[in-house]
Amino acid sequence: MEENFNPVAQTRANYYTPGSPVQFVCVELLKGDVSGEHAVCLTFKNISRVTLTALEIHFKCKGVDGVILCEDKFEYRDLQVKPGELFGQDDAVFITAKAITSVDVTLCNVYNGKRVVHLDGIKRVRLPAPRRLAPELQKALEARMNRTGLKYQPQVFENGWYCACGAFHPTEEDTVYCSECGCDRILLQNALNTLLQPAAPADEMEMPLNAPAAPAAPAAVEEPTRIVGAAPAAPAAPVEEPTRVVGAPVYEPKADPIQPVSEPTRVLDASACAPLSGAAAADEGTRVIPARRPAPVRQPAPVEEDEEYEDNRDSVAEALIRWVPPITAILCAAIALCGFVYYQFVL
């Protein structure tokens, strides 16, 4: 006699196996409409780039009081699971009449034809719980993405990323598309960032005609691969920075050579003041008297001297008068000598 099983509850896996070509996705609890028994179905996903043909697991089901109801191995045979596909959700690994509260699944071996990958020695990593969105933000995000079930905040971790539907995609999967809801991580991030931006008040949007136009701020560059946390609904009040006391700059004026340079006031004790004030100095501890100012030293006035300036033209004329006559005589003698030699020896 065949019996129909209707879904009662579904819980996603809170851990994953690093480096495994297959990942445990969720556990689903079904209830028979005739017998009322509970059937446990497990869902897995192929995150590798090859077709999987078999999978061996070890599971443990616990009841309400924490007692182990069943602990056994299960084998999924004759599979043809392509990369990115889900499988196992139609096979019941355990059926019981008692209520089940938790299921623990451990991956043992996965097969790709004759090739087998042993996963028993890989330590599982626990995942952080996804964050729920506010009901208003959830509805707005579902309307913008045209999908349902987007009730979680997308998050990116070192070992993978959470989709808004709650599905976790490890880094081994190497994809930006959710295999369960079909959302694009980049588009999902942009849509959520747009919804989280606070709306400007109406009075700030209206600018008076006589107000000077403010320079436009540069647009922020969004990084497509990172999803930031939720922004506050209203901008926080600016924090006033404490007043900093800065000393005034000290300027050292240049000493005027004509004016006397005053020395700092000297402090003399009582013994030094006694000769100056007599008996009155004995009653006082210390006295402050101004230092003696030295006599002002005046620099002698510069003596103006009459300087004779020679004209450059006089020096050139003198040189010409001195050297032109002898040079002319030498040239004439040389010409006469050349003529004499020419007529005597050539002609």
Side-chain angles (χ1 to χ4, degrees), residues 270-271 273-274 277-285 287:
S271 60
C273 297
S277 58
D283 299 335
E284 299 179 2
R287 302 180 68 186

Side-chain angles (χ1 to χ4, degrees), residues 20-72:
S20 174
V22 62
Q23 295 293 338
F24 174 43
V25 176
C26 67
V27 56
E28 190 174 11
L29 189 63
L30 307 177
K31 185 176 182 180
D33 54 2
V34 176
S35 62
E37 294 181 336
H38 298 279
V40 179
C41 295
L42 307 176
T43 303
F44 302 89
K45 181 171 59 173
N46 179 11
I47 63 172
S48 67
R49 298 183 180 181
V50 297
T51 301
L52 303 181
T53 57
L55 175 66
E56 297 177 358
I57 65 168
H58 178 274
F59 70 94
K60 185 188 301 182
C61 298
K62 294 182 180 180
V64 179
D65 50 0
V67 179
I68 298 177
L69 302 179
C70 178
E71 183 176 1
D72 197 2

Side-chain angles (χ1 to χ4, degrees), residues 10-239:
Q10 183 182 25
T11 303
R12 292 189 175 273
N14 56 356
Y15 55 87
Y16 88 107
T17 306
S20 174
V22 62
Q23 295 293 338
F24 174 43
V25 176
C26 67
V27 56
E28 190 174 11
L29 189 63
L30 307 177
K31 185 176 182 180
D33 54 2
V34 176
S35 62
E37 294 181 336
H38 298 279
V40 179
C41 295
L42 307 176
T43 303
F44 302 89
K45 181 171 59 173
N46 179 11
I47 63 172
S48 67
R49 298 183 180 181
V50 297
T51 301
L52 303 181
T53 57
L55 175 66
E56 297 177 358
I57 65 168
H58 178 274
F59 70 94
K60 185 188 301 182
C61 298
K62 294 182 180 180
V64 179
D65 50 0
V67 179
I68 298 177
L69 302 179
C70 178
E71 183 176 1
D72 197 2
K73 290 186 176 181
F74 192 84
E75 299 179 358
Y76 296 89
R77 298 294 181 182
D78 301 329
L79 300 176
Q80 291 295 327
V81 183
K82 297 181 180 180
E85 291 184 351
L86 303 175
F87 66 96
Q89 62 272 20
D90 297 332
D91 298 329
V93 298
F94 179 60
I95 298 178
T96 178
K98 297 182 179 180
I100 299 176
T101 57
S102 64
V103 178
D104 185 18
V105 179
T106 303
L107 304 178
C108 298
N109 301 310
V110 60
Y111 297 85
N112 174 24
K114 296 182 179 180
R115 182 184 177 186
V116 58
V117 179
H118 302 284
L119 306 174
D120 306 72
I122 300 179
K123 185 178 180 180
R124 298 179 301 180
V125 177
R126 191 173 186 85
L127 298 174
R131 302 176 183 176
R132 292 293 299 264
L133 293 175
E136 298 80 6
L137 188 59
Q138 174 184 346
K139 294 180 181 179
L141 184 61
E142 291 177 348
R144 183 174 291 270
M145 298 299 297
N146 195 20
R147 286 178 175 82
T148 58
L150 306 181
K151 53 185 178 181
Y152 298 100
Q153 177 181 348
Q155 294 176 274
V156 176
F157 303 98
E158 183 180 359
N159 50 14
W161 60 281
Y162 266 124
C163 181
C165 65
F168 179 76
H169 300 274
T171 54
E172 292 83 0
E173 191 173 0
D174 191 17
T175 180
V176 295
Y177 297 96
C178 180
S179 57
E180 299 188 27
C181 68
C183 285
D184 187 330
R185 183 180 64 180
I186 300 176
L187 298 180
L188 186 64
Q189 172 189 351
N190 295 338
L192 185 60
N193 291 341
T194 303
L195 295 175
L196 291 176
Q197 291 179 357
D203 54 352
E204 295 183 1
M205 295 178 64
E206 297 180 359
M207 180 179 297
L209 297 178
N210 56 355
V221 180
E222 298 180 354
E223 299 182 1
T225 57
R226 295 189 299 174
I227 302 178
V228 299
V239 180

